[in-house]
Amino acid sequence: RVLERGFAIVRARPDGHVVPRLAAAQAEAELDIQFADGTLPVLRAGNSVAPRPRLQTTTTPQPEQGSLL
């Protein structure tokens, strides 16, 4: 229920321990961010670990917004 309110849980890979602070996240090379509707794998910039393959998604073009002024 907490995740449904807009929060996320950050976990270190591969063991899955919770990373509660920015300083702890900076020490990790790979993270998973868990949202209410799924998990996003994250590779810290400047890391030499090869990234996991990304899921292929198809996007539909969004209509142009136009001027707000």
Side-chain angles (χ1 to χ4, degrees):
R1 298 185 71 186
V2 172
L3 298 179
E4 291 291 336
R5 294 190 310 227
F7 292 93
I9 300 172
V10 179
R11 298 182 187 277
R13 277 191 262 145
D15 66 354
H17 72 271
V18 174
V19 179
R21 307 221 182 277
L22 176 60
Q26 290 173 335
E28 300 294 339
E30 297 180 73
L31 301 166
D32 286 323
I33 303 176
Q34 181 181 350
F35 298 94
D37 60 347
T39 300
L40 175 68
V42 177
L43 180 64
R44 188 170 47 87
N47 189 4
S48 61
V49 176
R52 294 188 337 196
R54 298 187 78 148
L55 295 176
Q56 296 295 323
T57 60
T58 58
T59 58
T60 55
Q62 298 294 322
E64 194 169 316
Q65 181 173 341
S67 177
L68 296 176
L69 301 176

